[in-house]
Amino acid sequence: MTTSRDESHDPMPFEEWDRPREAWLLSGDCRRPGQRSLLLEMTTRAVFPTVLVFSLYLLLVGHYGPGGGFSAGLVAGLAFVLRYIAGGSDDLGAVVRVRAPAVIGTGLVIALLTALAPVAWGAPVLSTTKLAVALPLLGRAELQTSVFLDVGVYVLIIGVVLDLLRALGTGIERDMRDAGEDA
Amino acid sequence: MTTMTTTMTMDPVTINMVMALTVGVLYAVGFTLLLSRSLMRVLIGVVVLGHGTNLLLQLAGGPPARPPIVGTAPPESFADPLPQALALTAIVITFALTTLLLALGYRAFVLVGHDEVQDDVEDRRIARQKVPSAPLEAGDGDEQDVESADDEVEAAAARGRDAAS
Amino acid sequence: MLALVVAHLAVAALLPLVSARHRRAAFGVAAVLPTATLLWALANTAPALHGGLTTTTAWAPTLGLTLSFRLDALALAMVVLVSGIGAVILVYCIGYFGAESPEAPRNAALLLAFAGAMLGLVLADDLLTLYVFWELTSIASFLLVGQSGEQREERRAAVQALLVTVFGGLAMLLGFVLLGEAAGTYVIPEILAAGQAGRLHGGVLTAALLLILLGAFTKSAQLPFHPWLPAAMVAPTPVSAYLHAASMVKAGVYLVARLAPGFSDLPVWWVPVVVVGLATMVVGGWRALSATDLKQLLAFGTVSQLGFLMVLLGSGGPLGEISALAGVALLLAHGLFKAPLFMTVGAIDHATGSRDLRKLSGLRTAMPGTAAAAALAAASMAGLPPLLGFVGKEAAFAGFLDEGGLRGWIVALGLVLGSTLTAAYSARFLWGAFARKPGVEPTPVHHRPGALLTVPIWICSVAGLVLGIAYPVVDVLGASYAAPYPHVSGYHLALWHGLGLPLLFTAVALGGGLVLHAQRDRITALAPRSPLDAQRGYELTIAAIARVALGVTGRLQVGSLPAYLATILVAFVLLPGAATVLGGGWPAGQPLYHSVMQVPLAIVVVIAALAVARAKRRFTAVLLVGVIGYGVGGQFIVDGAPDLALAQFLVETLSLVAFVFVLRRLPADFTEERPPRRVRVPKAVLGTVGGAAVAAFAVVLSGARTEPSSTIGEFVRLAPAEAGANNVVSAIIVDFRALDTLVEIGVLFIAAAGVASLVLATRYDRRGRRRVESGQSSPEHEEDVLG
Amino acid sequence: MTTILTLPVLLPMLGAAVTVLGSRWATLQRVVGVVVLSVVAVLAGVLLVVADERGPIVTELGGWPAPMGIALVADRLSALLLLVSTLVTLAVLVYAIDQRIADYGRGTASTTFHPMYLMLCAGVSLAYLTGDLFTLFVAFELMLTASYVLITRRTNASRIRAGMTYVTVSLLSSLLFLTAIALIYAATGTVNLADLAGRIGTLPSGLRSVLGLMLLVVFGIKAAIVPLHFWLPDSYPNAPGPVAALFAGLLTKVSFYALLRTQTLLFTRDEPWTLLLVLAVATMLVGALGGLVQNDLNRLLSFLLVSHIGFMLFGLAVFDAAGVAGAALYAAHHITVLATLFLVSGLITRRTGTVALDRMGGLARSAPWLAVLFAVPALTLAGMPPTAGFVAKLALLEAGAAAGVDTRIVAGVVILASLLTLYALVRVWVRVFWGKRRAPLPDEDDADEVVIGTARSSVPMYAATGGLVAVSLAIAVFAGPLTALTARAGADLVDPVSYRTAVLGARASR
């Protein structure tokens, strides 16, 4: 990983302060026990669902305070990133069984159908309205239909993050193995 | 709308010195990095430039004010929400472009062993040429033919120079 | 008339179907339409001579683009040449191209297409219509000269012909547009009327007329553009006979003849016409005297004759009526003698395999019929009575002699000189083709030309004789064309005008010609190189264009990405920057900062940014970029944009992760060599100037705002009530401007797919090198990207 | 009608999503792509007819009135260009599909090509239709990002440099665009074009020209105005045939459309724009001269592409109704003819195995149909009558001749550039179609996406190319109605009252 000219044993010159001295990223490869960090894995297991729930909160609160589909999707995505860093692609694959591109496509379809749906009721494209839903137990709840757009964004962004993990994470890792480089 | 615009006083939107300096530095650094040959530097330049642009977009709305969330403050004290929304969109788009360029840099590195942007080979070839390749009259198929036609054109030009001098 | 023209083109397009079955039949089929056209035109002689027959089809009337046609006297004369000689030559082609010739199908179709285009040209009643067909004939000529393009001479000649004529044609188009703009119409009679009435004037008219003349000169092979015509003789002989003798090269002359009645009073018109025409006539004739290839001889002769026609039909003047009359007569005469002469060469070539007059000998006895027909045609060329050439030449001399004055005499003497040369090369042609030469074996005749090769020659030659005797017919035609000129002379075409200067001039020309021919050996020794070689001029021009193109492209298109980006930056700074300096004002009362918190955040961001610029390690640079990102996020909080700040923090984090993933595989340092100072410093300077410029734009433009945002009030009012969101920014994103959001997630969608495609396919790049076979299933990399 | 206006954007996006979800079913992908673009083409035709009869059609998305919400506007200009562009994208898609079938067989799905292609089309549609400056930016990003993926997809070591050049320059232009939007908002407080037209008018004239020049540079980069054009001949030629055709046909023209729209709507002028005249001259000449010295067929075409951008700039620079109308007509013609030529170049390359002119020859004999397919668009590009290129050029020349001395001189440069274009194309003809026949060269890189040196070009590939030739011929045949239409469009552009009224209603009167 480090460059070939090795001068780390010398007293470090000033401008070399940022020279990497060890592999600074934990590999995601689960099959190499030497590189696993139990602490990180345990933390992740505990944090992961919490963060996902928080992301749902952000999604729903978006209309009233900071939040919304973007931020929520990104938070959820970061949860998966954490999971990947701790457990590697195999672990991630165990959680997410759908293809990432399909997730992205689904998100986009949800958003586009939200845009087009009002036409069926004779309203302009992308118009929104307030839906009153009678929920059991909770009673009457009001829902702005634009939340569906937010849901689409949320799903799509999770898909994007997963796809990035697949490509930049797993893909590059595999390339490195192919090339015989030490991860 | 008319009622609102008349009642609302016009806040000066002028960007202050500190922010102008910040934006200026971000752009300067971004531009400079963009001009280098390393694709990774270019990429970092794009990111820095993107930060500068997003900041500028937000600043275009006016000086700091209260977050535009109805109910938390009187509407007159709100910051202009539109630049915020635009900047939000811009942030996401910049992110998308960054990752794409990152992947391209990676691929370039894997393919050619470094991530420098090379000069265009064909352009260099043409710049070195004295006579256009593939002259019109030639082209019977063999290279020799091309050469001889080149010679002819050159010779014709030379004759002309002699005659002129 | 449009239908007639279109029919030519349509049949030409379908002709390959005929050729596929029977090659020679194609020419026969092709000859039908020109024949019909000729008959149609002759049947309409009466209306044509009295006011003309017109049709108009609108094409793009907004642009004044209409397809207008008129059959009048001049057009009728040209139709005789285009369709009459065209039909004859197409019949000749049956004999010329063998039954097996692979060239036949292409030539049949192209010749007919050309006939159609040429017909459109001569019938055009509108400048733009004329231009349309003008360029079509150039293209047809290009393809007919180039043939299969396998010989270098063919290619070279075809390209030269095309470039020179299209150069002129395009110049002419600009002239037409300027003229049309000045006159308010493109309809030729209306423009001529405006010209005669003197309603057009000024620099625009001068430019327009010169440009139009340029077009006419190039097309009709006038000095110094003429070399393309002799070069084009590489084409098959029927093509030369038709395009480069009888019809296409007359287009320039025809155009001048069309416009002369309106503009020949203007010096800007007649001076170039007379000077160039006379020079062309003399130089062409002189060059013909030293040619050894019979086709070359005729080609230079054609150049010479075109100069002659140019003078006659373009010079106008007080007695323009007579020279116009002479012009029409000679226009016809030239077609009727030059085409058979070319066909004679074709027949000789066919029979003996040679066109070199130094090798040909004794053909007078071997091919007596051909020789007689050629002699008749050559006599007309030389101007012997009672042929049409004589009638025309008499009138030509008469016109300028009667005009008198300096101009009249100069032209008349020039014409005598030219006619002397014409007589000389006419004699040279007959001698070269048919005479028995001392010391040269009689040329063996492999196969005697059949009727298909000789009858067409006879038809044309005899037509020249008949029209010479029946001169009143030509006189009526010419008079109808010359009608716009003032009637002062009462001159009519005739075989006998009595003894006078014109007859003397004719005699001098004929006698001089024979003397010159007798001295042929000295002339051949004298002639070969004239000091001004127009062909070399063409070559030099082309070479110069190539050098300029190479110089410009080599210097500008340097192939370096940083150079390109720098150019863009310079433009971005310079153009609006100059305008800012000139027109912007620094806003008064610009505060140092609006909120104290902005200052420390700004310091962090600025320091991190400067450090990024100097960072040598990728990872360090990425971390510093992260610092900038979070710093900017902090500014968003200060500015009252919590949504923005949240997104900024999250995106920045994700970016960092992405960078780190990729950096695993890359070396820690930037691989780029540290560039030398002379590269680095200008880049830093340019970057700094760019940053300063943007900052200045920001201050100046934001200081100029006089109104609040158009939308803030509406947004705040409607967000909770109508969009169901207290968070106005969120309302904008998912409701008021939801389309932006929709498209933006589209961009994310693309980016994700792009990253996958770029990264995941990488591992297959080096394996490659296997042939992709047809019908193979998914390429491997696709499967991988699919996930 | 207002829903129809959104479909050219939303349908291709939906199609893109569907082709990703169904990325294992090749036929589904193909059918979705062709059907979506066909529908969009029909809709564009409807929009054109209606917009011509009734004036600009406006949709306020979500029912929010402009300038609050985003307005989509189809007027004569945008509907015309949308129609032509969609016909081109449809033909190029058919070509690409059949090229893939010829090379990989019928069962092969594509993971990225179809979605990216449709997204690009959505971006193009939105760029034409939007009446909002920021949405224009977003549309550009949609279009450009998809183009980044298409041009870098399956690149090899020798072509990746082209991809980098393209992406980097485009990114810079995008960021500068965003900067310009920020500055415009800072100065005016709105991003709606119709609203901006009113507000920019109140700025001091110096600042107006700052903004105008800024947008000129921003769009000039992507429209390849000299000297901002250098990236184009270095990048387009390296893209696979259909992709290069798509780019050459559409991307520069979309940017030119943006330039045309913004300059006429926001920065009105009364007389010819001298700066743009100078740029037009430079663009025409530098492009044409560059084309003369190239040995690579695609590069040659790229330089000619640049050269003819100069023709359109000339029309805009004249800045009256006739000039702008000429520019619009020229753009419509240019979209089709450049796409056609690049497709033909793809066919030639497949046959000969090379793009180098000095290594080809004799195709007129061995592939006469190819010769015809090349000759017609080549003559069109050179502006020879009676093609569409001639009609469009004539419109420009007439506008130039009428507008004054400067523009007459530039009209002379148009003539010169036409001649040089013809010369460059004649070189191609002579080198490629004349001369001795040559055996095809083997494909130097088997692994990449592009298969060359094979005679396997299916009939639909020829048919798609021929279809575009037919579109181009149709522009010539129906020049009457078309020039009348563009003349009306030009009048709309120089006097944008109907546009502003259609978008803003009564508020436009400010």
Side-chain angles (χ1 to χ4, degrees), chain A residues 132-146:
Chain A
V133 197
L135 292 177
L137 301 178
L138 294 176
R140 204 178 132 81
E142 283 190 345
L143 186 68
Q144 192 73 21
T145 49
S146 59

Side-chain angles (χ1 to χ4, degrees), chain C residues 15 18-19 22-32 35 85-101 103-105 107-109 111 236-239 343 346 350 449-456:
Chain C
L15 216 47
V18 180
S19 317
H22 198 289
R23 293 186 177 221
R24 304 175 76 151
F27 288 107
V29 171
V32 172
T35 315
I85 297 185
V88 170
I89 286 178
L90 282 167
V91 171
Y92 176 83
C93 283
I94 305 178
Y96 185 86
F97 292 101
E100 299 301 315
S101 164
E103 315 291 330
N107 281 298
L111 278 173
T237 301
V239 172
M343 289 193 274
H350 213 261
L452 282 170
L453 286 182
T454 48
V455 171

Side-chain angles (χ1 to χ4, degrees), chain C residues 59-63 65 103 106 128 131-132 135-136 139 142-143 146-150 155 158-159 162-163 166-167 170-171 173-174 177-178 181 186 204 542 545-546 548-550 552-553 556-557 559 561 564-565 567-568 571-572 575-576 579-580 583-584 694 697-698 700-702 704-705 707-711 714-715 718 722-723 735-737 739-740 742-744 746-747 749-751 753-754 757-758 761 764-765 768-779 781-783 785-787, chain D residues 10 13 16 20 23-24 61 64 67-70 100 102-105 108-112 116 119 126 132 134-135 138 142 145-146 149 152-154 165 168-169 172 176 183 185-191 195 199 203 206-207 209-211 213-214 217 221 227-231 233-234 286 289-290 292-294 303 365 379 384-386 390-391 393-395 397-398 401-402 408 411-412 415 418-419 422-423 426 429-430 434-435 443-444 446-447 449 452 456 476-477 479-480 483-484 487 510:
Chain C
W59 181 9
T62 322
L63 302 177
L65 194 54
E103 315 291 330
R106 179 178 54 235
L128 293 179
Y131 176 75
V132 168
E135 297 290 35
L136 282 178
I139 294 161
F142 171 74
L143 293 171
Q147 292 291 312
S148 65
E150 292 195 354
R155 294 196 293 267
V159 171
L162 184 72
L163 287 184
V166 170
F167 160 70
L170 283 168
L173 172 62
L174 185 57
V177 171
L178 291 176
E181 183 57 40
Y186 289 108
V204 176
I542 294 294
I545 290 174
V548 169
L550 205 51
V552 168
T553 311
L556 291 181
Q557 193 74 23
L561 178 59
Y564 297 170
L565 294 172
T567 319
I568 291 171
F572 187 74
L575 288 181
T580 313
V694 172
F697 294 152
V700 171
L701 286 167
S702 65
R705 170 95 79 87
E707 297 169 277
S709 147
S710 320
T711 47
E714 297 268 288
F715 281 147
L718 293 178
E722 301 279 327
D735 211 332
F736 299 131
R737 295 183 65 96
L739 183 68
D740 281 350
L742 210 53
V743 175
E744 161 201 1
V747 174
F749 168 99
I750 297 168
S757 141
L758 279 168
Y764 297 99
D765 287 336
R769 307 286 158 200
R770 77 204 140 72
R771 191 90 198 155
V772 182
E773 292 303 330
S774 184
Q776 172 186 322
S777 64
S778 263
H781 66 269
E782 297 272 354
E783 284 293 328
V785 180
L786 213 58
Chain D
L10 297 183
M13 286 184 79
V20 158
S23 61
R24 295 207 176 270
L61 288 172
W64 305 112
M68 227 185 122
I70 296 169
R100 202 176 163 86
D103 291 343
Y104 296 99
T108 314
S110 166
T111 46
T112 39
M116 295 306 112
M119 278 295 190
L126 184 56
D132 187 288
F134 190 79
T135 309
V138 184
L142 190 64
T145 316
V149 179
T152 56
R153 183 169 156 266
R154 295 298 291 154
T165 305
T168 314
V169 171
L172 178 59
L176 292 182
L183 295 174
Y185 192 87
T188 63
T190 186
V191 285
D195 194 22
R199 290 201 163 207
L203 288 178
L207 293 186
S209 48
V210 173
L211 296 178
L213 290 170
M214 214 174 266
V217 172
I221 300 170
L228 307 170
H229 73 290
F230 297 117
W231 57 274
D234 282 2
V286 168
L289 289 174
L292 275 184
V293 295
Q294 303 300 322
F303 273 101
R365 279 259 167 100
L379 290 175
M384 286 283 112
F390 165 68
V391 179
K393 188 170 72 182
L394 181 66
L397 287 177
E398 287 185 354
R408 279 181 209 135
I415 291 293
S418 298
L419 183 66
L422 181 73
Y423 185 25
V426 162
W429 176 268
V430 168
W434 279 353
D443 194 347
E444 279 172 5
D446 291 348
E449 191 73 15
I452 54 177
R456 278 203 321 265
V477 171
T483 49
R510 286 198 323 138

Side-chain angles (χ1 to χ4, degrees), chain B residues 128-150:
Chain B
R128 280 196 309 274
Q129 273 182 335
K130 296 223 165 44
V131 184
S133 56
L136 194 61
E137 295 82 4
D140 272 347
D142 42 21
E143 288 302 309
Q144 203 165 14
D145 198 54
V146 177
E147 300 273 314
S148 61
D150 285 354

Side-chain angles (χ1 to χ4, degrees), chain C residues 13 46 70 84 91 152 193 214 265 309 342 374 390 470 582 695 786:
Chain C
R70 171 190 294 269
V91 171
R152 186 194 291 179
L214 194 58
D265 292 344
L309 291 170
F342 267 107
F390 168 77
L582 293 177
L786 213 58

